C-alpha cells in the first residue's frame, strides 16, 4: 500500500473516530525502526497493539519476526481490514488491548515463557489512568520475564501515568526522540524486574 494511500486512509479514520485514534497520520519508518531497536535481542514472539495501516507490522516482519509469532490487535474495523489484507499470515484481530492475554493464549502466538515484546501505538497519553492500568496489567501478564512494553508518544513526558507505573512496579526508560516522524515522537520502554 503506497504511503500516500496509508496516510489518506488513516486521516479519514481519524476524522470519523477522533477519540479512538492516537494520531492524524500513521507512524513513519524511522519511528518503527526505533521501536524495534528497543526490543530485546532475538525477540521472536511479538505483539503489536494498535496496528493502524501496518507501518510497524511491516517493519517487524522485515526485521525477521515470523508471521506465526506475531499478534496484531486493532480496534478500528477499517484499519483491521487493511491489516488482514496486507498481512494474511499474521494473527490480526479486531479487538481491545485489555484482552491481549486471553487473545494471545487463544491464537497460540505465545512462546512457552510468554511474549518477548509488545509494541504499542495506543494513545496512552489521552487515556484515563484506570484504562492505562487495565491495558498495562494485561500486557505484563503476557510478557515473559525480561520482556518489554515499547510505547511512543507525541507528548513531552512519559505517556504512562506515574501512579499507574508505580502501582504496576514498572521501570520507565526514554529510548529517544524521532524527529523524522510527523509529528516528532518519543519512544519509551516499560519493564518489570521479575527476578
Amino acid at each position: 500500500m503506497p504511503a500516500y494511500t496509508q496516510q489518506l486512509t488513516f486521516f479519514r479514520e481519524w476524522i470519523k473516530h477522533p477519540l479512538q485514534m492516537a494520531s492524524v497520520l500513521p507512524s513513519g519508518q524511522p519511528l518503527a525502526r526505533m521501536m524495534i531497536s528497543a526490543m530485546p535481542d532475538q525477540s521472536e514472539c511479538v505483539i503489536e497493539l494498535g496496528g493502524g495501516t501496518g507501518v510497524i507490522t511491516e517493519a517487524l516482519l522485515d526485521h525477521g519476526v515470523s508471521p506465526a509469532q506475531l499478534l496484531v490487535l486493532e480496534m478500528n474495523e477499517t484499519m483491521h481490514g487493511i491489516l488482514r489484507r496486507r498481512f494474511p499470515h499474521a494473527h490480526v484481530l479486531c479487538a481491545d488491548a485489555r484482552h491481549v492475554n486471553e487473545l494471545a493464549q487463544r491464537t497460540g502466538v505465545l512462546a512457552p515463557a510468554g511474549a518477548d515484546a509488545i509494541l504499542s501505538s495506543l494513545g496512552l497519553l489521552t487515556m484515563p489512568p484506570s484504562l492505562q492500568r487495565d491495558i498495562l496489567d494485561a500486557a505484563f501478564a503476557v510478557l515473559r520475564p525480561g520482556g518489554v512494553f515499547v510505547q511512543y508518544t507525541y507528548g513531552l513526558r512519559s505517556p504512562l501515568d506515574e501512579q499507574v507505573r508505580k502501582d504496576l512496579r514498572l521501570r520507565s526508560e526514554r529510548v529517544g526522540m524521532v524527529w523524522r516522524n510527523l509529528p516528532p515522537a518519543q519512544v519509551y520502554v516499560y519493564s518489570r524486574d521479575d527476578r
Side-chain angles (χ1 to χ4, degrees):
M1 173 183 271
Y4 174 77
T5 305
Q6 287 182 35
Q7 292 170 354
L8 187 59
T9 302
F10 206 95
F11 184 70
R12 283 183 186 145
E13 289 305 304
W14 178 80
I15 288 172
K16 289 186 211 172
H17 312 283
L19 299 178
Q20 278 184 8
M21 308 286 286
S23 174
V24 297
L25 293 171
S27 308
Q29 291 177 358
L31 177 55
R33 284 192 295 272
M34 183 177 282
M35 292 185 75
I36 288 169
S37 74
M39 297 189 315
D41 292 338
Q42 280 81 46
S43 289
E44 294 178 358
C45 181
V46 179
I47 297 171
E48 182 184 1
L49 304 179
T53 56
V55 173
I56 294 172
T57 312
E58 183 174 26
L60 284 166
L61 294 170
D62 289 347
H63 183 71
V65 174
S66 165
Q69 290 195 286
L70 176 61
L71 172 63
V72 182
L73 302 185
E74 173 55 61
M75 278 185 64
N76 180 287
E77 291 181 16
T78 300
M79 301 291 188
H80 170 255
I82 290 168
L83 290 166
R84 295 270 307 183
R85 286 188 298 278
R86 286 191 70 197
F87 310 105
H89 301 295
H91 300 275
V92 179
L93 302 177
C94 190
D96 189 315
R98 289 176 287 188
H99 306 294
V100 65
N101 189 6
E102 64 191 63
L103 295 168
Q105 299 286 344
R106 192 177 77 210
T107 58
V109 169
L110 288 181
D116 297 306
I118 295 177
L119 276 59
S120 170
S121 297
L122 301 177
L124 284 186
L125 191 62
T126 61
M127 292 180 184
S130 59
L131 181 54
Q132 288 185 3
R133 181 178 287 106
D134 289 348
I135 291 169
L136 272 289
D137 196 33
F140 277 89
V142 78
L143 282 167
R144 67 166 172 78
V148 297
F149 186 96
V150 183
Q151 173 74 46
Y152 71 84
T153 183
Y154 301 123
L156 300 175
R157 60 176 175 78
S158 168
L160 186 60
D161 180 81
E162 186 60 16
Q163 190 59 53
V164 171
R165 187 192 66 74
K166 288 178 182 175
D167 290 349
L168 296 177
R169 300 176 293 111
L170 301 178
R171 290 189 308 272
S172 172
E173 177 189 352
R174 181 182 174 273
V175 176
M177 174 71 92
V178 183
W179 293 104
R180 293 183 56 221
N181 193 71
L182 191 61
Q186 295 189 78
V187 175
Y188 283 83
V189 173
Y190 301 96
S191 58
R192 180 182 281 158
D193 188 0
D194 290 317
R195 286 175 262 154

